[in-house]
Each structure stands twice: as C-alpha cells, then as structure tokens.
Amino acid sequence: MPQSYEPAISRATRSFPYELRTFPVRRVDGKISPELSKWAEAVALGFHGDAMTEDALAFYIACEEVDGRMVTGAYLSDAQAPVGAWDAQYPVSTYAYHRKNLNVGAGTLMPVHQITAVTVRPSHRRRGLLRAMMDSDLAQAKAAGIPMAALTASEATIYGRFGFGVATHTSTIEVTVKGGLDFLVPAAASVGVVEIAPVGTVRDLHNEIFERVHATSYGSIGRHDMYRLAATGLGNYGAVEPLKNVRAALHYDASGAVDGYVTYKPSDDKNRSAVEIVDLLAVTDAAYLALWNYLGSLDLIDVITWDMAPVVDPLEWAIAAKRHYKRTATEDHLWLRILDTPGSLAAREYASDGSLVIHVGDPLGHASGIFRIEVVHGKATVTRCPEDGSVEAELSMGVSELSSLYLGGVTARVLLAAGRVREMQSGSVAVFDALFAAPESAHCMTSF
C-alpha cells in the first residue's frame, strides 16, 4: 500500500492563539508535503533567503532527511490571515533539531540535541512563540535522555535566558602570504604531500575525514549532511547552484592515505588579492601545517582569510613572522545548554582529582539542584544532594554559567569577577577551576 503523510504531533497552548506542530523532514513516495514546503518557505523568509523553488526545496529536504531532522512550526489556530497575506498554513515561527554528538574529551562523544532554523515572523514577535517552542522542545529532549542541547546563534542576546551559555569561540584571521610562508621549523610543514583535487572528491571524502577529526578534537560537534556540499561549494542553504570558483587540495600522509583537505576560493574584496578558506580539516598537526604551507605557495595572492580559525592556532606559532598572522575578529560560536547535570558532568574528563558541591539554578528546572562532584582518576561521580539544608553548596551558579564552564572556555574565576557565580565557601572557585581545566582549547568546526 502507498504511504500516506504522517500526521503532525500537535501541542496547543491556550495562553496564545497559536498551535505548535512538530513533524519529520521526510519525503513520502518521493513527494514533499505542502506542510513541509510551507515550513521551509517560512524559514527562507526568516533568514532572507530566496523564495523556494521545487528544485531548491528537494535539495534541502534530501540533506535534512539524512539527518533525521524534526521541525516545529507555530500556526495561527483561532484567527484568519488577512486577505492576500500568507494563509494560516504557513507557520509564523519555525524551529528544528537534529541529534549528533559532542567531543567532551578522552575519546568520549556525548549525545547532543542540536537546535537550528529558529525564526519568528516580525509581525508576531514578543508573543511568547520562541519560549513556547523552546520550552516544549527542551523538555522533550530531556525526557528522551539527551544530556545537552546546543546551537550556534546568529544573534548574541537571545539564548542566555533559556539557559544556553557560550562554550567556544572562533577567530577570523588574515595571514599575509605574499612571497610565501616562512616556517620556523620548515620540516614540520613539509610532512606528506599536498595535491590539487576536484571538489567532488572532497565532497565524497568529507564525512570520513570529518569523523576522524571530530573523534580527536575537543569541543567538536557533529556535522549535518549539508556540510559535505557547503564545504565544497556544491550547494548550501540559499545557494543551490554550485560555486564555480572553489578549488580543493588534499593532504596525503606517508602511506599515501588522505588525512586532510582545504577548499578555498578567491575573495570578493576587489581592493586586494586574497583567497578565502571555505573549509579546512586536518587529522594531524602535520597535515594542518602542510595545507597552510600549500596555501602560502599560491601565486598572485597576498592574503589568506578564514572565518573559522581556532582561537589557539598552531599556525600563529609555526610561522617566522608572527605579525603576519592577524585576528580581525573573535566571536562566540557554540552555545551549550545542560539538560541533565549528572549525566553531562559525568561524561567529560577532568584535569585532576577532587570533590566539590555546587548549586545550579535553572528557571526551566531541567538542570537545577545541589550536586556533589567527586573525581577519581579523571572520571566524575555526580550525586544529587537533598535540598533540605543538610548539604551546603560550596559554589553557586546558573545553568548558563555551568554550560559555559563545561568545556573550559572560561574559568569560574573570571565568572566570579563578572558577578555570575557565587563562592559560598572560600577556595571553591580554585577547586572548580582545577577540576574543569581543559585538556586543550575547545574548538568547534561546525555551524548549524
């Protein structure tokens, strides 16, 4: 029998005239439902994308279906749209998620709930739509046993009130390469071989290379299917047609196996001769420096730019002229939101042994409580304590603060100085920072 479209899960809230519907991104018998089509059009509106064509919609859906993406829309439930306007089957607000994992150190990849495609139509702002969708979605993720939620934000002031905290940053860099890059240890940047390749080769290798990099990169989060196309200029949200000026180079290790790549394109800046990195993945430090060595050898180029560079970058310390490496911007990137405090804290590795009792406040209730953290041989046992006054917390913070501290991107000492954590017992901040010291600077290579 032919499949029929699955009915959407409906959740109605009486306090406002909207109905929330959640449904999977899924084609049935090769067809895309009108509900999904109108949801995608509303997302394009929110992000100022082109109006959806059938080909563009099919392109997006094919990628998102691979990820098992679920989407939510808020629909007018007891009011009619004005004559001539979009009808009530177009959502006035959108939201989506897929689930991947987060590298929390020591080879551990923790399940994570990745939120994306959040929009609210301007004519329906300040009516509680985002809060309704966020509250409902986070509660369902917590009930499903997912310990952490994550997002990358287009605006910096929205998500703190929902318990999210900045966990990693990225840098935009400009590296002067006119005349080539000089390395302090040339042999370190000359391991293996770099060769030009068709961008289609990188598309096909992307998932394998990324998984190898992801498995060893602290703070890395899983990539969605669209990334293999975006990384090669073969398609992206708002850009279905392939870019014609993207080039690719592969790094081969001593055995001849590919262990890294870079894709790049000429800059749109007409005032200088520059190349922009589209994506760069390297399994080893040697591959990373060798790919930069290749970029530095490009003829007729004065500057290489990259907007996803790590905050702590080996390249800066590898080149002879450090001043040729310039950070032009540093921006918050990955935002985390702890849903299960014991589960999240027990998953990561710790720099030293010790114990501490912390109080966590959470307006939504998912992560709140008093918790005893006991670390032995780098692994934590986290116990929920009674809140009857029998156990006193040594350090107090909100879930947003704990989420920012989780990967070691900031210290409790800094948040204490910022007035964002409270030391209930002298010395507890120092104990926390000793326990949570990061094994390396966390770096997320994925936007979503």
Side-chain angles (χ1 to χ4, degrees):
M1 294 179 63
Q3 289 179 290
S4 59
Y5 294 119
E6 290 189 9
I9 302 168
S10 296
R11 302 186 298 278
T13 305
R14 293 184 179 180
S15 59
F16 62 13
Y18 305 101
E19 177 188 20
L20 303 185
R21 304 178 200 159
T22 298
F23 45 95
V25 175
R26 182 180 302 164
R27 293 164 294 183
V28 179
D29 294 332
K31 297 179 180 179
I32 299 169
S33 70
E35 184 174 42
L36 186 54
S37 177
K38 290 183 175 183
W39 181 91
E41 187 65 58
V43 175
L45 173 74
F47 287 99
H48 308 295
D50 293 341
M52 281 288 176
T53 65
E54 288 187 13
D55 287 345
L57 182 61
F59 178 79
Y60 300 154
I61 297 309
C63 290
E64 293 174 355
E65 193 170 0
V66 172
D67 299 317
R69 184 167 291 190
M70 296 290 292
V71 302
T72 295
Y75 300 84
L76 284 166
S77 59
D78 58 4
Q80 293 295 320
V83 175
W86 274 5
D87 63 45
Q89 295 309 305
Y90 284 90
V92 300
S93 186
T94 65
Y95 186 105
Y97 74 82
H98 55 269
R99 289 172 180 166
K100 302 290 183 181
N101 50 52
L102 173 71
N103 187 318
V104 297
T108 300
L109 299 178
M110 184 179 72
V112 66
H113 184 80
Q114 293 178 235
I115 297 165
T116 186
V118 177
T119 75
V120 179
R121 200 184 298 175
S123 52
H124 292 262
R125 296 232 173 102
R126 295 180 177 83
R127 303 186 188 184
L129 283 164
L130 178 56
R131 177 161 294 279
M133 292 189 298
M134 185 72 74
D135 288 358
S136 175
D137 182 59
L138 292 179
Q140 291 185 66
K142 172 73 179 290
I146 306 298
M148 184 84 74
L151 53 83
T152 54
S154 54
E155 295 185 50
T157 58
I158 295 174
Y159 296 101
R161 66 181 182 269
F162 299 108
F164 288 84
V166 177
T168 74
H169 294 78
T170 57
S171 292
T172 299
I173 62 171
E174 295 182 355
V175 182
T176 300
V177 297
K178 189 174 184 179
L181 278 174
D182 291 326
F183 289 85
L184 290 167
V185 183
S190 304
V191 177
V193 175
V194 177
E195 288 291 355
I196 200 76
V199 292
T201 300
V202 173
R203 174 200 59 204
D204 296 340
L205 287 172
H206 170 271
N207 290 357
E208 175 192 344
I209 297 297
F210 176 75
E211 287 307 316
R212 293 173 65 192
V213 175
H214 177 52
T216 58
S217 299
Y218 183 62
S220 173
I221 203 166
R223 284 185 167 180
H224 46 290
D225 187 63
M226 182 68 80
Y227 239 98
R228 64 190 174 85
L229 304 176
T232 52
L234 295 177
N236 203 347
Y237 294 102
V240 176
E241 292 298 319
L243 299 177
K244 295 181 173 61
N245 58 355
V246 175
R247 299 288 186 259
L250 304 177
H251 182 267
Y252 299 83
D253 65 17
S255 71
V258 177
D259 64 351
Y261 71 76
V262 63
T263 52
Y264 58 94
K265 65 184 182 71
S267 171
D268 294 329
D269 188 345
K270 302 302 182 184
N271 297 317
R272 60 181 181 176
S273 178
V275 156
E276 300 174 1
I277 293 175
V278 178
D279 194 34
L280 193 163
L281 291 178
V283 177
T284 66
D285 294 335
Y288 182 73
L289 293 183
L291 288 167
W292 269 104
N293 197 6
Y294 165 80
L295 291 169
S297 71
L298 295 174
D299 289 333
L300 308 177
I301 300 300
D302 296 335
V303 174
I304 306 290
T305 66
W306 191 20
D307 62 4
M308 287 289 287
V311 173
V312 178
D313 190 348
L315 177 68
E316 182 180 10
W317 298 93
I319 58 178
K322 192 173 184 291
R323 66 183 59 182
H324 288 173
Y325 183 107
K326 296 180 180 179
R327 285 181 189 80
T328 57
T330 298
E331 190 170 274
D332 58 86
H333 185 219
L334 181 66
W335 292 62
L336 296 179
R337 205 287 184 196
I338 291 173
L339 296 171
D340 174 3
T341 301
S344 293
L345 296 184
R348 58 154 288 169
E349 66 172 330
Y350 291 83
S352 62
D353 292 352
S355 64
L356 188 68
V357 179
I358 64 171
H359 170 262
V360 182
D362 181 356
L364 302 185
H366 302 307
S368 58
I370 298 174
F371 304 93
R372 184 182 304 277
I373 307 168
E374 296 181 285
V375 180
V376 178
H377 301 311
K379 299 302 292 183
T381 300
V382 184
T383 308
R384 182 180 293 275
C385 301
E387 298 183 55
D388 57 4
S390 61
V391 177
E392 294 186 3
E394 299 165 82
L395 193 63
S396 180
M397 66 193 72
V399 64
S400 177
E401 286 70 30
L402 183 60
S403 298
S404 288
L405 290 161
Y406 184 77
L407 293 177
V410 66
T411 64
R413 177 68 188 87
V414 168
L415 293 189
L416 177 68
R420 296 184 59 185
V421 304
R422 209 155 43 107
E423 193 174 48
M424 319 294 285
Q425 182 173 313
S426 179
S428 60
V429 161
V431 172
F432 185 100
D433 285 341
L435 291 176
F436 280 74
E440 58 185 287
S441 177
H443 179 51
C444 176
M445 301 162 285
T446 303
S447 298
F448 53 97

